[in-house]
Amino acid sequence: MIEARGLTKRYGDKLAVDDLTFTVRPGMVTGFLGPNGAGKSTTMRMILGLDAPTQGSVTVNGLPYRDHAAPLREVGALLDARSVHPGRSAYHHLLALAQTCGIRRSRVDEVVDAVGLNAVARRRAGGFSLGMGQRLGIAAALLGDPGTVILDEPVNGLDTEGIRWIRSLLQGLAAEGRTVFVSSHLMSEMAMTAQHLIVIGRGRLIADTGMEEFVARAAPGVVRVRSTDPAALAALLRSRDGAVAEAGDGGLAVSGLTTDEVGRLAGAAGITLLELTAQQASLEEAFVDLTRDAVEFRAPTTRGAQP
Amino acid sequence: MTTTNRIPTARPAGATSQRVTQARVVRSEWTKLRSQPSTFWSLLAALALIVGFGALYCVLRVTRPPTGPEAVAAFDPTAVSLTGVQLAQLAVGVLGVLLVAGEYATGTIRVSLAAVPRRLPVLWGKAIVLALATLVLCLPATLAAFLVGQSILSAERLDISLRHPGVARAVVGSTLFLSAVGLLGLGLGALLRSTAGAVAGLFGLLFGPQLLAGLLPADWSDKLYPYLPVPAGAAVANVQPDSAALAPWTGFGLFCLYTGVVLALAAWQLRRRDA
Ligand SMILES: Nc1ncnc2c1ncn2[C@@H]1O[C@H](COP(=O)(O)OP(=O)(O)OP(=O)(O)O)[C@@H](O)[C@H]1O
Ligand SMILES: [Mg+2]
C-alpha cells in the first residue's frame, strides 16, 4: 500500500508535482497515467526516497521508504532501464543489488531465468537493447520478492511478446496480493492491464478511479443513428438535450443520450430507424481529452482521494 | 526471446531477514568494484607507474649521481625509488572518482540508493573496498619499486637497506598515501557528481596549490608549502630529514585531514540532496 498525502515537488520555479493525494492498494494493478512531463517519474522517485518532497509525504506500508530496514523486501522498482553500468554484466548488476540485503545468489539466477535473460546474463549490459534493459530492470525489481512493485513505463521498448509477458506478470503479481503501481502515457496499454487508474496532468491529480468507471465517465458513448427523416429526428433529439452532429450518409452522431432513449423517442414520434448503434469513443481519445487542459479538470474521486 | 511466466517466490519459510547492513553493503560494493572494467585498467596503470616510473627515475639519477658531500647527504634513495607513487596517485584518484561519479553518469546511483535508502553505507562501503583494494595491490608494488630501485642505485653505492630506520615506514606510508588519494577522488566524485568535474577538481587539489604558492613571495610560499596537500602527504616517503617538509606522519595526517573534510562534505551532500 502506497499513500501519498499532499505530495508536492518543486524544481526551481517548476512545480513538477502539485499537492497529490492518492492511495495505491494491494491486490490490483494501479495504472499511473499522464502525458509527458506530468510528474509520474518524479512522484515515483519521491516514493522511493530518492527525491525529497517539497511538501507533503508519502509512505509505503505505513512508513517512509527510507525507514524500512529491508527496503528490497518492501518495494521493487524499475525507474529507468538504462540505469546499468555499461561495463558490468547483468549478473553482477543483480548480484551487487542482492548483496546489499543478503539475498542469496541462487535468487539472482531465478530472476534472470524468469525474465528470460539467461543467455546474455554474463555479457556486458552496455550492449543490451532497450527491451533487454527493461527485462533486466524488471529482474532487479523482483529480486527481493517485494510486496510492492513500482515500474516506470515498463513496456517501453518491449516487443509484442514482451508486452504480453509484462501484462500477465503484473496481473499475476497483483493476484498474489501485491501492490502494483505502473506508469504509462499510453491509455490503451493500461486499459488492458490495470484495474485502477490514477491520472495526473501538470503535476495535479485529474482522476483516481476504477478502470471501468473511468471508461464510462471519460469516454461517454456516442450513438450513431440513421433514419428515414434525419432532420426531424435531429430536431427531436436536440429538444431532449442530445448533442447532434451530421455523420454523413443520412446518419447522425448523438451524444448525451443512450441507445435506449434514442430508440424510444424515435418510436414515440413515429420516425423509422434504419440503424442504431452505440459507439464507444476510443479510450485513447478520452484520455487525451481529459488531460488536454489539466487545470480545467477537477479530480472526480471515487474513493480514497480526499483525506 | 522466450520467457517463463512464473516468478518463483524468494523466501520459503525460514529464510534470513533482508535487512541492509554495512557489512552487506561492503560486499555489494566489492562486487561492483571488481565487475567494472575501469577498476582493472586504473589499478594496472597504478602498478605499472609505481614500479616502471620508479625504476626509470632511479636509472636517471644513477647516471648523474650527486657530487659533493652535501648533495650525497641530501640524496634520499628511498624517496627516489618511490617517485612512481607521485604519478600512480593520479590513476588511483581517478578510480576513486569513477567509482561514484560513474554511478551518477549511468544512473545506477538511483538503483544503489533505492536499495540502501539510508545512503551513507553506500559511500562508506565504496571507501572501504577502494582503500583495501589499493592497499593490497599497491603495497607489493611499492615494495617492488623500492627493491628494484635500490638494486639500480647500488651501481653507484647510493642504495639503502629496508632495515634502515624509516625506510619501511616510507614504503608502507607511500601505499597508505595512495589509498588516501583514492578516497579523495571518491569524495570529490560524490561531491561534484560529474566525472569530468571531479577529475579536474582532483588534479586541481593535487597540483594547483603548489602552482599558486609559487606566485607568492618566496618566504610566504616556503612557509606555506609543507602544508599543501601533496607536499604534506608525500612527506611520509622521506627518510632523510627534510627541513622544507613536515615530519612524515604529521604530513600524512594532514593529508588525511584534507581527505576527511572532502569525504564529510560528500556525506553531508549525499544525505541532503536529491539523487
Ligand atoms: N531533477 C529535475 N530538475 C528540474 N526539473 C525536473 C527534474 N525532474 C523533473 N523535472 C521536471 O518536472 C516535470 C515532471 O517530470 P517527470 O519526469 O516527473 O514527468 P513524467 O510524467 O515522468 O514524464 P514522461 O512521461 O515524459 O516520463 C517536467 O517538467 C520535468 O522537466
Ligand atoms: Mg517519466
Side-chain angles (χ1 to χ4, degrees):
Chain A
M1 179 126 93
I2 302 169
E3 291 171 281
R5 295 284 169 267
L7 197 60
T8 302
K9 182 69 185 182
R10 184 181 283 282
Y11 294 108
D13 50 7
K14 166 91 198 164
L15 200 53
V17 171
D18 186 3
D19 196 23
L20 280 188
T21 295
F22 61 82
T23 302
V24 184
R25 278 159 218 274
M28 60 175 123
V29 177
T30 301
F32 192 30
L33 272 171
N36 289 132
K40 305 182 293 293
S41 301
T42 304
T43 303
M44 289 183 161
R45 286 199 302 276
M46 288 194 283
I47 297 173
L48 292 168
L50 292 169
D51 283 22
T54 311
Q55 259 166 42
S57 66
V58 56
T59 59
V60 180
N61 293 335
L63 272 185
Y65 179 70
R66 228 179 230 217
D67 293 344
H68 283 290
L72 290 190
R73 178 77 189 150
E74 219 56 55
V75 181
L78 161 66
L79 290 188
D80 182 355
R82 288 156 304 174
S83 294
V84 188
H85 192 295
R88 190 173 288 136
S89 72
Y91 177 79
H92 283 113
H93 176 76
L94 294 172
L95 179 62
L97 201 56
Q99 285 170 327
T100 58
C101 55
I103 296 172
R104 57 182 210 276
R105 261 167 203 263
S106 57
R107 174 66 183 165
V108 174
D109 296 321
E110 268 173 31
V111 293
V112 163
D113 272 358
V115 301
L117 283 181
N118 5 23
V120 294
R122 297 284 178 167
R123 278 204 238 141
R124 290 185 176 194
F128 280 17
S129 67
L130 181 54
M132 286 153 86
Q134 292 285 13
R135 285 166 190 267
L136 176 54
I138 288 163
L142 297 174
L143 203 54
D145 194 19
T148 299
V149 177
I150 296 178
L151 307 175
D152 198 359
E153 315 220 2
V155 301
N156 211 351
L158 286 183
D159 53 24
T160 319
E161 199 269 339
I163 293 177
R164 253 188 243 141
W165 168 69
I166 287 265
R167 214 177 280 153
S168 66
L169 172 71
L170 296 180
Q171 282 164 347
L173 290 170
E176 288 167 11
R178 301 179 212 248
T179 305
V180 182
F181 193 41
V182 194
S183 83
S184 176
H185 48 248
L186 291 178
M187 182 65 213
S188 46
E189 179 49 43
M190 279 299 108
M192 291 201 259
T193 318
Q195 288 92 54
H196 196 85
L197 273 187
I198 293 173
V199 182
I200 63 171
R202 294 196 204 163
R204 307 195 59 144
L205 190 67
I206 295 176
D208 178 351
T209 163
M211 190 72 209
E212 281 165 18
E213 294 143 277
F214 175 82
V215 171
R217 178 188 292 264
V222 172
V223 174
R224 184 183 149 77
V225 56
R226 208 153 56 80
S227 71
T228 49
D229 190 354
L233 181 59
L236 172 67
L237 296 176
R238 283 197 181 100
S239 72
R240 298 304 176 95
D241 289 338
V244 181
E246 293 282 337
D249 211 7
L252 301 172
V254 184
S255 45
L257 294 170
T258 65
T259 45
D260 288 17
E261 287 165 337
V262 173
R264 289 213 181 85
L265 287 169
I271 298 171
T272 308
L273 294 187
L274 303 172
E275 180 189 341
L276 179 60
T277 43
Q279 292 184 325
Q280 196 89 148
S282 92
L283 276 178
E284 207 61 58
E285 281 165 33
F287 172 58
V288 168
D289 269 358
L290 191 61
T291 52
R292 181 169 291 133
D293 195 356
V295 202
E296 269 186 23
F297 288 79
R298 313 293 302 282
T301 47
T302 53
R303 45 143 240 225
Q306 242 74 60
Chain B
M1 206 176 264
T2 53
T3 43
T4 356
N5 249 325
R6 284 296 312 144
I7 305 292
T9 309
R11 288 204 312 180
T16 52
S17 120
Q18 292 177 8
R19 286 176 167 273
V20 175
T21 64
Q22 181 69 67
R24 285 172 167 175
V25 176
V26 168
R27 206 169 307 143
S28 161
E29 289 300 330
W30 168 241
T31 299
K32 284 190 204 164
L33 182 75
R34 71 186 171 84
S35 62
Q36 148 185 327
S38 53
T39 306
F40 175 77
W41 293 113
S42 353
L43 289 176
L44 188 68
L47 301 186
L49 288 169
I50 294 171
V51 182
F53 193 79
L56 185 69
Y57 191 63
C58 287
V59 170
L60 284 177
R61 293 300 295 261
V62 90
T63 52
R64 268 170 261 159
T67 47
E70 239 173 71
V72 171
F75 187 80
D76 191 332
T78 315
V80 166
S81 65
L82 298 181
T83 312
V85 169
Q86 301 296 321
L87 286 177
Q89 64 178 344
L90 301 181
V92 174
V94 168
L95 176 59
V97 168
L98 287 178
L99 213 52
V100 52
E103 288 217 21
Y104 282 98
T106 57
T108 43
I109 192 71
R110 288 196 173 137
V111 177
S112 302
L113 296 184
V116 186
R118 298 199 169 275
R119 297 189 177 186
L120 290 189
V122 174
L123 185 64
W124 305 144
K126 285 182 190 300
I128 291 168
V129 298
L130 176 68
L132 287 181
T134 43
L135 267 185
V136 166
L137 285 170
C138 293
L139 187 59
T142 22
L143 189 61
F146 172 81
L147 296 174
V148 170
Q150 300 315 311
S151 80
I152 295 170
L153 294 174
S154 67
E156 290 288 336
R157 301 193 177 286
L158 290 167
D159 57 318
I160 194 170
S161 153
L162 192 57
R163 279 185 295 275
H164 190 278
V167 172
R169 178 260 301 150
V171 170
V172 174
S174 296
T175 315
L176 289 172
F177 172 66
L178 280 175
S179 285
V181 175
L183 295 182
L184 181 64
L186 185 76
L188 287 170
L191 202 55
L192 302 176
R193 299 183 168 196
S194 117
T195 310
V199 168
L202 176 72
F203 284 29
L205 271 186
L206 293 179
F207 302 126
Q210 292 90 303
L211 295 175
L212 292 178
L215 302 176
L216 295 173
D219 53 334
W220 289 23
S221 95
D222 286 352
K223 279 213 188 80
L224 201 60
Y225 189 81
Y227 298 94
L228 304 181
V230 166
V236 81
N238 291 345
V239 172
Q240 303 296 341
D242 182 349
S243 58
L246 296 177
W249 289 122
T250 313
F252 181 67
L254 185 59
F255 187 83
C256 288
L257 184 67
Y258 294 141
T259 300
V261 169
V262 172
L263 275 177
L265 285 175
W268 175 67
Q269 278 262 356
L270 185 64
R271 274 306 294 234
R272 207 182 51 97
R273 264 177 76 179
D274 288 346

